[in-house]
Amino acid sequence: MEITVKPARVISGAMRPPGDKSISHRCALLAGLGEGESKLANYATGADCRSTLACLRGLGVEWTEAEGAIAIRGVGMRGLRAPAEALDAGNSGSTMRMLSGILAAQPFAAAIGGDASLSRRPMRRILEPLRAMGAQVAAAPGDLPPLRFAGGAAGLRAIDYKLPVASAQVKSAILLAGLFAQGTTVVHEPAPTRDHTEQLLRHLGAPLDQRGDSIALTGPVEKLAPLGDFRIPGDPSSAAFFLCAAAMLPDSDLLVDEVSLNPRRSALLDVLAGLGARAQVVSIEDRGGELVGSLHLDGPAALDGGSVSGAEAVALIDEIPILAVLATRTRAGM
């Protein structure tokens, strides 16, 4: 079979990116702990987010899928049950790291593993703070998966923890454990990371306070509200490919609808603006603490050069590949 691909001259039209993976994971986990039903529209369709749903089902959280939405019946903060077999995170490090914060606090024993690739990824960065909170957890040599939580009635204690390396997933694991811990758990970030967990926790009524680079959560939290009918914002990393394509081609006219405009996910827009391709915000709304809206971008006549480094490069980690392609179309390179 032969496929002929011809270069595009312009990008014109509208697109709606798929649901954001980072937000989907967190919405599912918190919906499972809420009291009542949450209906998550535009839930990310990738295998990683399916792994989170499968693990929740293993813990006794029922969910159904219909008309493009995931309906999750939350069991409450104390309603999870011991899994009949080891939980399978597949290839999803997000699932393993964040769910571990919840498993660390349960009165029952549970194990979580993954595929061959995930089983080679060290989990020391989450195990150290969780153990400091009192979690009884064992791992394979080198702190590799699978992880085995012993459970117990002693409960977790709050900690004041400075992340040695900026990580939204490690931060989230600690905060999720902090929901069950006695006292105020404080996490200090060396650099800003994605704050979807904090936004959702605050939206659901958790006592969370943020000052500068420090996030404090007071537990134990007895009840979380359900998310109700909630549409997952579109993934800005997926939208990045279309935005960069439009920026490369003069006279392009692109509308990106229903995309996350969270300030900690919008570094690409700043880079594009610096190159001469400014995306205009057409509409914006607050949805569960997350900013969501539409962007319009007209392809400029030419692109200037620029550079990406330091904290900005960390914020753009998912967009680096497409930015490398975009650099070939600038006047001075990047």
Side-chain angles (χ1 to χ4, degrees):
M1 180 177 67
E2 291 187 0
I3 299 176
T4 301
V5 179
K6 297 181 179 180
R9 295 183 178 180
V10 296
I11 299 293
S12 180
M15 63 85 61
R16 179 174 291 179
D20 185 88
K21 188 170 75 170
S22 295
I23 299 175
S24 293
H25 280 298
R26 290 159 171 83
C27 281
L29 292 172
L30 291 172
L33 296 175
E35 294 194 7
E37 184 169 285
S38 298
K39 188 175 182 181
L40 308 179
N42 201 35
Y43 189 81
T45 57
D48 283 4
C49 290
R50 291 284 159 172
S51 292
T52 291
L53 290 175
C55 287
L56 285 172
R57 178 164 283 163
L59 291 166
V61 177
E62 293 300 325
W63 55 269
T64 57
E65 184 173 9
E67 298 179 354
I70 305 293
I72 298 176
R73 291 183 285 280
V75 297
M77 292 296 294
R78 308 294 171 185
L80 297 178
R81 66 171 186 243
E85 56 187 9
L87 302 172
D88 184 1
N91 188 240
S92 178
S94 299
T95 301
M96 179 168 286
R97 293 189 187 96
M98 292 191 286
L99 185 54
S100 288
I102 296 172
L103 294 176
Q106 301 309 309
F108 52 76
I112 183 169
D115 65 11
S117 174
L118 183 56
S119 297
R120 294 192 297 268
R121 295 162 68 178
M123 293 292 147
R124 184 173 297 112
R125 286 195 289 164
I126 61 164
L127 293 178
E128 287 182 351
L130 292 179
R131 285 167 174 160
M133 298 177 80
Q136 301 298 311
V137 53
D143 284 330
L144 297 174
L147 308 181
R148 296 179 176 87
F149 295 85
L156 299 182
R157 55 183 175 270
I159 58 170
D160 191 303
Y161 190 78
K162 184 175 182 179
L163 294 172
V165 178
S167 169
Q169 292 180 11
V170 177
K171 172 181 64 174
S172 296
I174 298 170
L175 291 175
L176 290 170
L179 288 171
F180 301 87
Q182 189 69 44
T184 300
T185 295
V186 184
V187 182
H188 306 276
E189 293 192 281
T193 63
R194 297 180 183 187
D195 61 353
H196 304 306
T197 301
E198 298 97 296
Q199 297 290 0
L200 287 167
L201 283 172
R202 194 178 289 113
H203 174 67
L204 296 178
L208 186 140
D209 182 47
Q210 187 162 359
R211 297 180 183 179
D213 63 356
S214 300
I215 306 102
L217 188 149
T218 302
V221 174
E222 297 300 326
K223 181 178 180 180
L224 284 179
L227 278 164
D229 288 337
F230 188 86
R231 184 173 180 83
I232 307 290
D235 179 18
S237 297
S238 296
F241 292 90
F242 294 88
L243 287 167
C244 288
M248 292 182 205
L249 300 173
D251 300 321
S252 288
D253 181 2
L254 176 68
L255 178 69
V256 179
D257 195 24
E258 282 279 321
V259 66
S260 170
L261 297 178
N262 184 306
R264 297 196 181 186
R265 299 290 300 280
S266 61
L268 175 69
L269 301 182
D270 296 329
V271 172
L272 290 177
L275 301 178
R278 184 176 298 277
Q280 301 293 328
V281 177
V282 177
S283 64
I284 191 168
E285 66 174 285
D286 185 304
R287 188 179 301 166
E290 293 284 346
L291 295 179
V292 187
S294 299
L295 298 170
H296 179 258
L297 189 146
D298 287 323
L303 290 171
D304 297 320
S307 64
V308 174
S309 61
E312 188 176 42
V314 174
L316 286 164
I317 192 65
D318 291 336
E319 288 81 23
I320 292 295
I322 188 59
L323 280 175
V325 176
L326 183 67
T328 66
R329 302 297 298 269
T330 63
R331 288 186 286 204
M334 294 179 68

